[in-house]
Structure formats: C-alpha cells, structure tokens
Amino acid sequence: MANRRPIRWHIGVFLAPAVLVYTAVMIYPLFNTMRLALFTEIDQQRVYVGLQNFSALFGQAVWSDAFWNALGNNFWFFLIHMLVQNPIGIGLAAILSHKRLRFAAFYRSAIFIPAILSFVIVGFAWKLILSPIWGIAPSMLDMVGLKSLFAPWLGKEEYALTTLALISVWQFVGIPMMLIYAALLSIPEEVLEAGECDGITGMSAFWKIKLPLILPSIGIISVLTFVGNFNAFDLIYSAQGALAGPNFSTDILGTFMYRTFFGFQLQLGDPHMGSAIATAMFAIILIGVCIYLFGIQTRIRRYQF
Amino acid sequence: MKTSTFTATLLATTLLTGSALMAADVTLEIESWRNDDLTLWQEKIIPAFEAANPGIKVKFNPSAPAEYPAILNAKLEAGSAGDLITCKPFDHSLGLYEDGRLADLSDIAAMANFSDVAKSAWQTDDGTQTFCVPMASVIHGFIYNKDAFEELGLTVPETEAEFFAALDTIKADGNYIPMSMGTNDQWEAATMGYNNIGPNYWKGEEGRLALIAGDQKLTDAAWVAPFEQLAKWGAYMGDGFEAQTYPDSQNLFTLGRAAIYPAGSWEISGFNGLVDFEMGAFSPPVQNAGDECYISDHTDIAIGMNAATEHADEARIFLEWVGSEEFATIYGNALPGFFSLSSFDVPMVDPLAQEFVSWRGKCNSTIRSTYQILSRGTPNLENETWNASAQVIKGEETPAAAGERLQAGLASWYAPHQ
C-alpha cells in the first residue's frame, strides 16, 4: 500500500520525439490547411469568410466544373488501377509463388524495379516511348504491321487519362505483387495438403483456398491504391504539366489543387481556395478509408480461421 | 594515411577561413525563368559586370518557365528569394509591387534611357511608380527554312492566301512537315498562334485597348477570325501533333524536317547553334495585299529588386548597369531575338534578329492581348486562351464556340464586359 506506483516518466520521454515530430510535420500542417480554407484574401488582408470557399468550390460553375471533372477523372484513374493493376499483381504473385518456376527471383526484381523509379523519369521515358515523332511505339507497331493502331495517345482527350493510368499501373504493379506474394508464402502447407486430400488441386486450390486466405491483403492493397490514386499528382504533372492537358482530360484532384494553390503562368496562386480543395481531397480519402475500415475489413476478419 | 588526412583537413580549414575573411564580396542572386540563357549570363553578362564592379558577385538562378510565377511567389513569401527578380510584364509584377515584394525603382537614373511605352509594363496603373528596369521585348512571326523554300520555289508569303498556298505546296511535296507546332503543351497555340496572327485582325493596340475598355468583345469578328485561321493550321502540322511538345517542335524544325515554325524571336539564339540550313523570317501575313500590318512586339522581360534584400545598394548598382548602353549591347547581341527596350541605338549582328526588328519600321507594334488587366480574374483569360487555341487547332471546338467561351469567362468577373 505504502509504495504507490511511481509515475512512469520514461513512457512520455520515449514517446515525445515521435509525437513532436509527427505533430510538427503532419498534424499541425493538416489542421492549418483546414483553417486556411476558411479565409480569403481581400485587398492584401486575410479575411475570415467561413465556408465561402467551399460554397464557391461546389456552387460556382467556374470552380465546380473543374472540381467534378477532376474527381471523375480520379475515379477513372482509381478504377483502372483496381481492374488492371491489382488483378495482374495477384496473378503475377500466384505465378511467382509456384515452386517449379525458374528464375523467380529475377522476375520478381525486374517487375518491382519500376516502383522504385522516380515519377519524373517514368513520365519522361513513357512520353518519349509514346511520342509520335521520336518514340519507339509507332515503329514497333509498324514492325508487326499494326501501325494503323497507333495514335498520339497522350495528346488525345479520349485516351490520355487511360494511357497515364496504365503507365502508372506499369510502374506500381510490383507493389501488390510483393504484398500478395508474401501473403501466399505465409499460407500453411497443411491447409493446402488437407485440400489435396479432398481433391482440391491446381487452379481450384488457388480459387478455393489461397484466394480467400489472401483477401485481407487484397483489402489492404485496395486501400493503399485508393489513397495513392487520390493523392496522385507527380505522374500527371511530369507528363502533361500543371494544365493537365489535353483540355483538362487528365486533370485529377492533385493537379487541380496545385494549379489553384500555387497558380500557373498568369494565373496567380490562391492558397485559400487551394486549401479548400486540399481539405475536400482529405475528406474524400477519409470517407473512402472509413468505408473500408468499417464496412469491409470487419467482415474480412470474421472470415479468418 | 591518417596524418595526411588530418593535415589535409587542417589545410582545407585554413584555406576556407582565409577565403571567408577575404570575401567581403557581396553576392547578388537573380531569380529568372530564362533557364535557356544560363550560359550567356554566366559567360558574358555577369563577367562584364563583375569586371566593372569589383566586390559584387552575381549569381543567376533560373527556374522552369511555366512554374516561375508560382515558384517566385512561394520564395518571396518564404523570404528565400534572391536579391534581384526578373519581372514578368504587367499584373504578376504589379501584384508583387503592391504586396510590397518589389522595391520602387523610379529614382534609378538609368530609367531615363527608356521610353514610357517600354516602362508601361512595369508601372503602377497611374504610371507614377516604376518597379522594374525594362530589359527586352520579343517579336512574334514565322521562321522558315530558306533551303526548303528555294527547293520548292516558294517566296515569302505576304498575304494569308499566299501563306496557305505555300503550306499547300509544302504539303503536296511531302518532304517537309509544313508547320512545326504541337498542341501538347498548349501555350504555343496561344502565344505563337493566336497572339502571333491576331493583331492583324484586331488592329493591334486599337483592338487591344477597345477590348480592355469593353468596347469590343471576344465574340466580335476581329477576335474570332484568328481562331478561324488557327482551325485551318491543324491540317498542316505533323502526324500526331496532338502529343507533340514544344521541344519536339523546336527539334523538328532545327533538324530540317519542317519548313515553317510559328515563332517568337526568343528562339533565334537557340536555333542559330542547331541548324545547318539558312533561316529566314516573315511577319504574320495580312488578310489582303496592301493592308496595314501589325506585329506582337511584346514587352517581355525586366528586372527589379526584392524589397527585402539585404544588399539594396549593390542591387541598385546592378540595376543602373542593366539600364546602361553597355548592357543593352551585350544583351542584344548575346541573346539575338531579345530586343533592347532602351532608347540606345544598339547595333545587332544577327541577320535573323535584324529581320525581326525591321518589322518595327513597317508594321504597328502591339503587345499580347491577354496580358494587361484581362488576366486578373478567375477564370484566367490567358490560360483559357491556351486551352481554346489548342482545342480549335485540334478541331474539337469551333472558332465561334471558343470566342463565346472566352467572352463568357471574361464577362463573369470583368466589369467593363458585364
């Protein structure tokens, strides 16, 4: 009774660096951005205007058209990743985890390498590959007699965004592959052997045993893809510039926010409107992640052993 | 081994301390968007200044052209911008001056070497305060491949009909891409397209000032006509021009694969070193033979002083020098195609630059229509014009629709048009 537990200072001391650094570089800027969105500049004075920036963003055609266009493009960008990147990633992982595949380590690294390249390099390299003037894409198609299929994809409104999404898929397909590969390796042999005894082998073993067991990993990958895509900016910016041409067909929330916040050419930056867009982006990502956490992940957990 | 490293370190420290003591030199940093000019500044302009002004060092720090205003604003706000600021014309610099970022330079003696027109792009609306020392203007027109023209028996087109006839001949021959331009980067379509050929239709300053006053609209025939001409350009551009970037266009022309390049005179210095054929230039063709011609002679570049600089005295010495005849001569010849705005009669050697500047004698000069006042609001008229010009060239928007869209955008915030 006499000796009360001493206050455990060391917990606070050890937590402090991380908490302080995280607060300074993440939490404070985040909330400050939200605060900035509630102001505007009139005659070089910062004035509090409440939600006026948001009502302009969603209510005035000048802003809302651009916003919905960017949001729509963002969903398309995300959809391509979900439909192309993740299934291919899962497929590659399934092939790589096959025990009789030779040079598996080589394929694994080769496929993963683009993910560690800089966006600028990827954007620039693909721009050159697809260039109608110097690119190798037209001549390669010519070699197999399919020149007629070539179009200046990055310059056409109807193809540009899909092309960029596929470039991004090429770059990042290694990440779902690696995560799924790790998940596949962790499936216990006994489970598979038990399945074999019941006559489940080959492809059906993948569909009936492995796939259900890696579903949680697929869920995580989906969330990572969602967050990554809705924060995307670099690839579009390096390939198409801040105006996200042609005719804003590749404009996503990231480029829209950049253009508004920092300005472009004669358009001066408007940090307050830019913050409003950034806040809207944050809200969209938050909602998406919450849907996953509360709607999907809880259900997946119940699935497990 | 260890001893020698130690000695080396000692030596290095001594040397460093020594030079630090000697270096009472002030270093002035210049912010600029002209990254193409880096070597010229480093090899010609800065050494000339430093030789005449011992104790002042100058460093030229360019950034990417399209990002310059954004980068500069961010740097100024963060307090990390250089001492000298290269000034974009009109509102961007005026905004900086009104925010107190640029210093008032009206008292610089060298200002007397510039005409009022030259200074107008860097003055307050009432013209009482000047905040940047004008450096140069750029002139728009078309650069062409003389060898290609000779081969095809073409002469320089004077009228629009001749211009398109020449393009048709080049296209029919098939050896050259008639016109080297793409729409990927968008700005060429507006700057080297719309604002290049436009002044002939809207009669230069007359139309530009009427548009600012609200007496003319972007839906008027004079303002839609340039779009109508642009709509015809697409057919003469190379395969896949939709994805052709600005450097692609420059390379196509300098490699001799294209015959005509819609240009700004700033290209001259870059092109001179790259081409192995003779280049010529012609001013934007007029509608009918004998019409008065108008050219875009755009006050493009000036230099001002960061109001927060710690080296204001040295910066002023540099700015006085920028206004001098010596600078005008070095700059005009080191960068043919940037025409000095000073009143000095600067002799120029480059034949292509001489051709461009000779148009000042026969045509009326104006500046780009979207730069003064009209790009102050949202949507931004200049950026919208980029988009509209590119869309029109690609045939995805009709000239009339483009005019209506721009007018609606302008009228949404600009009182004289409401």
Side-chain angles (χ1 to χ4, degrees):
Chain A
M1 252 320 84
N3 43 358
R4 267 190 314 155
R5 290 178 70 157
I7 303 169
R8 289 186 284 178
W9 291 108
H10 63 278
I11 295 182
V13 170
F14 284 123
L15 274 180
V19 169
L20 288 178
V21 169
Y22 191 73
T23 307
V25 302
M26 293 294 293
I27 299 177
Y28 171 72
L30 178 66
F31 283 96
N32 203 29
T33 306
M34 292 185 190
R35 193 181 62 85
L36 206 58
L38 304 177
F39 289 81
T40 195
E41 195 175 292
I42 300 169
D43 297 329
Q44 285 125 46
Q45 293 288 317
R46 185 176 284 181
V47 186
Y48 177 81
V49 289
L51 295 175
Q52 195 183 299
N53 286 332
F54 291 95
S55 69
L57 183 61
F58 299 113
Q60 285 177 18
V62 174
W63 292 106
S64 65
D65 288 355
F67 179 79
W68 296 119
N69 170 50
L71 187 63
N73 288 340
N74 234 147
F75 269 109
W76 179 247
F77 198 67
F78 172 59
L79 197 70
I80 301 247
H81 280 79
M82 285 302 282
L83 293 181
V84 182
Q85 174 186 284
N86 296 349
I88 291 182
I90 295 165
L92 287 172
I95 297 170
L96 282 179
S97 64
H98 199 280
K99 282 183 213 69
R100 273 180 299 176
L101 181 77
R102 299 172 73 186
F103 310 121
F106 168 73
Y107 294 133
R108 210 170 51 212
S109 338
I111 294 168
F112 192 71
I113 278 175
I116 58 173
L117 288 179
S118 146
F119 280 101
V120 181
I121 294 171
V122 170
F124 190 69
W126 275 97
K127 226 172 138 176
L128 270 180
I129 292 172
L130 297 176
S131 160
I133 303 159
W134 335 100
I136 54 163
S139 43
M140 278 174 79
L141 280 173
D142 202 17
M143 280 195 289
V144 291
L146 292 174
K147 182 76 196 287
S148 58
L149 285 183
F150 181 80
W153 288 300
L154 285 176
K156 292 275 196 187
E157 250 177 86
E158 54 274 42
Y159 307 126
L161 183 63
T162 312
T163 311
L164 284 168
L166 291 175
I167 293 172
S168 167
V169 165
W170 170 84
Q171 185 179 8
F172 287 118
V173 75
I175 290 180
M177 180 193 79
M178 283 302 200
L179 290 171
I180 299 288
Y181 180 68
L184 284 172
L185 290 185
S186 68
I187 295 176
E189 277 301 307
E190 304 87 79
V191 179
L192 293 171
E193 280 164 11
E196 262 172 53
C197 293
D198 290 337
I200 302 171
T201 53
M203 280 302 273
S204 57
F206 176 77
W207 290 109
K208 294 194 171 137
I209 303 173
K210 290 181 183 168
L211 194 62
L213 289 178
I214 57 170
L215 269 183
S217 303
I218 294 177
I220 291 288
I221 289 164
S222 308
V223 166
L224 287 179
T225 313
F226 178 77
V227 175
N229 286 170
F230 276 81
N231 273 330
F233 162 73
D234 335 42
L235 180 68
I236 310 274
Y237 180 73
S238 59
Q240 304 290 67
L243 274 186
N247 195 24
F248 300 108
S249 63
T250 57
D251 198 21
I252 56 173
L253 291 169
T255 45
F256 177 45
M257 193 274 279
Y258 173 86
R259 215 171 44 240
T260 311
F261 197 104
F262 295 104
F264 186 71
Q265 186 65 6
L266 295 195
Q267 177 188 332
L268 297 183
D270 180 349
H272 305 99
M273 199 62 182
S275 301
I277 299 169
T279 307
M281 283 170 75
F282 175 68
I284 291 165
I285 294 173
L286 193 67
I287 292 168
V289 173
C290 284
I291 291 175
Y292 167 77
L293 283 179
F294 300 116
I296 299 172
Q297 202 187 32
T298 44
R299 215 170 293 169
I300 286 175
R301 279 215 178 125
R302 263 175 245 137
Y303 226 113
Q304 284 179 309
F305 307 105
Chain B
M1 177 64 209
K2 214 164 187 185
T3 338
S4 66
T5 325
F6 183 66
T7 325
T9 322
L10 271 182
L11 273 172
T13 343
T14 329
L15 282 173
L16 280 174
T17 332
S19 61
L21 284 175
M22 272 156 56
D25 284 2
V26 169
T27 303
L28 299 174
E29 294 199 12
I30 304 178
E31 300 285 344
S32 174
W33 69 90
R34 290 292 310 164
N35 46 13
D36 290 355
D37 303 347
L38 182 61
T39 43
L40 294 165
W41 278 86
Q42 284 174 343
E43 286 167 15
K44 293 189 180 164
I45 299 170
I46 293 175
F49 174 76
E50 286 178 351
N53 298 277
I56 307 179
K57 297 261 173 263
V58 181
K59 213 174 144 212
F60 187 69
N61 274 342
S63 45
E67 267 66 59
Y68 178 70
I71 291 174
L72 178 65
N73 284 10
K75 274 185 168 178
L76 283 168
E77 252 157 63
S80 59
D83 311 280
L84 296 158
I85 311 284
T86 309
C87 304
K88 289 256 174 197
F90 297 110
D91 289 352
H92 181 252
S93 299
L94 180 61
L96 291 178
Y97 176 68
E98 284 173 347
D99 285 353
R101 304 291 187 196
L102 288 176
D104 182 4
L105 299 178
S106 314
D107 56 340
I108 293 255
M111 283 291 182
N113 303 335
F114 298 93
S115 71
D116 286 345
V117 180
K119 285 186 281 193
S120 67
W122 298 282
Q123 282 180 328
T124 45
D125 284 353
D126 59 10
T128 49
Q129 290 142 329
T130 311
F131 40 83
C132 297
V133 181
M135 281 163 74
S137 73
V138 291
I139 297 176
H140 287 292
F142 296 85
I143 300 180
Y144 67 97
N145 182 330
K146 267 193 181 169
D147 296 358
F149 267 52
E150 252 166 53
E151 202 180 308
L152 299 170
L154 292 169
T155 50
V156 167
E158 305 259 323
T159 65
E160 233 169 80
E162 287 171 27
F163 180 59
F164 282 102
L167 286 170
D168 281 327
T169 314
I170 303 165
K171 196 178 178 186
D173 173 67
N175 274 328
Y176 296 93
I177 297 168
M179 193 186 271
S180 184
M181 192 163 106
T183 56
N184 189 79
D185 297 354
Q186 306 187 38
W187 68 269
E188 307 106 289
T191 310
M192 274 104 110
Y194 192 73
N195 267 312
N196 180 1
I197 58 174
N200 273 331
Y201 297 95
W202 61 69
K203 303 203 181 305
E205 285 295 277
E206 189 187 322
R208 189 181 74 84
L209 296 172
L211 187 68
I212 292 174
D215 299 335
Q216 289 187 11
K217 287 184 164 34
L218 289 164
T219 45
D220 292 353
W223 294 88
V224 175
F227 280 132
E228 278 159 6
Q229 195 193 132
L230 286 185
K232 293 194 264 178
W233 281 19
Y236 301 103
M237 294 182 187
D239 263 354
F241 71 85
E242 293 96 336
Q244 185 174 327
T245 62
Y246 173 54
D248 287 344
S249 308
Q250 291 177 311
N251 285 324
L252 275 183
F253 182 73
T254 52
L255 288 172
R257 282 169 58 178
I260 298 176
Y261 181 86
S265 57
W266 65 85
E267 306 281 14
I268 296 174
S269 52
F271 281 9
N272 273 340
L274 292 171
V275 295
D276 54 3
F277 51 84
E278 209 181 330
M279 290 185 291
F282 58 88
S283 56
V286 294
Q287 296 168 69
N288 302 303
D291 279 2
E292 209 165 333
C293 62
Y294 297 85
I295 53 164
S296 168
D297 183 359
H298 190 68
T299 45
D300 189 53
I301 185 166
I303 188 160
M305 186 172 83
N306 183 350
T309 178
E310 286 167 14
H311 309 299
D313 295 337
E314 290 83 359
R316 276 171 188 274
I317 295 175
F318 184 80
L319 292 168
E320 289 283 3
W321 184 72
V322 168
S324 72
E325 184 164 7
E326 186 189 2
F327 178 84
T329 313
I330 298 175
Y331 192 75
N333 283 299
L335 279 175
F338 282 85
F339 304 109
S340 173
L341 284 164
S342 66
S343 325
F344 304 112
D345 187 16
V346 179
M348 263 183 297
V349 222
D350 189 87
L352 203 54
Q354 281 173 352
E355 173 65 38
F356 267 96
V357 85
S358 73
W359 304 337
R360 277 183 180 165
K362 61 168 187 163
C363 301
N364 303 293
S365 294
T366 181
I367 58 170
R368 291 179 203 152
S369 59
T370 49
Y371 270 60
Q372 193 178 18
I373 301 175
L374 299 180
S375 286
R376 279 184 189 171
T378 310
N380 185 283
L381 184 63
E382 166 74 359
N383 291 7
E384 293 262 288
T385 306
W386 290 17
N387 179 284
S389 307
Q391 290 294 91
V392 165
I393 290 176
K394 284 190 285 185
E396 293 187 2
E397 191 170 26
T398 64
E404 266 165 42
R405 182 158 65 95
L406 295 186
Q407 179 62 32
L410 181 62
S412 73
W413 60 268
Y414 186 52
H417 277 264
Q418 280 164 350

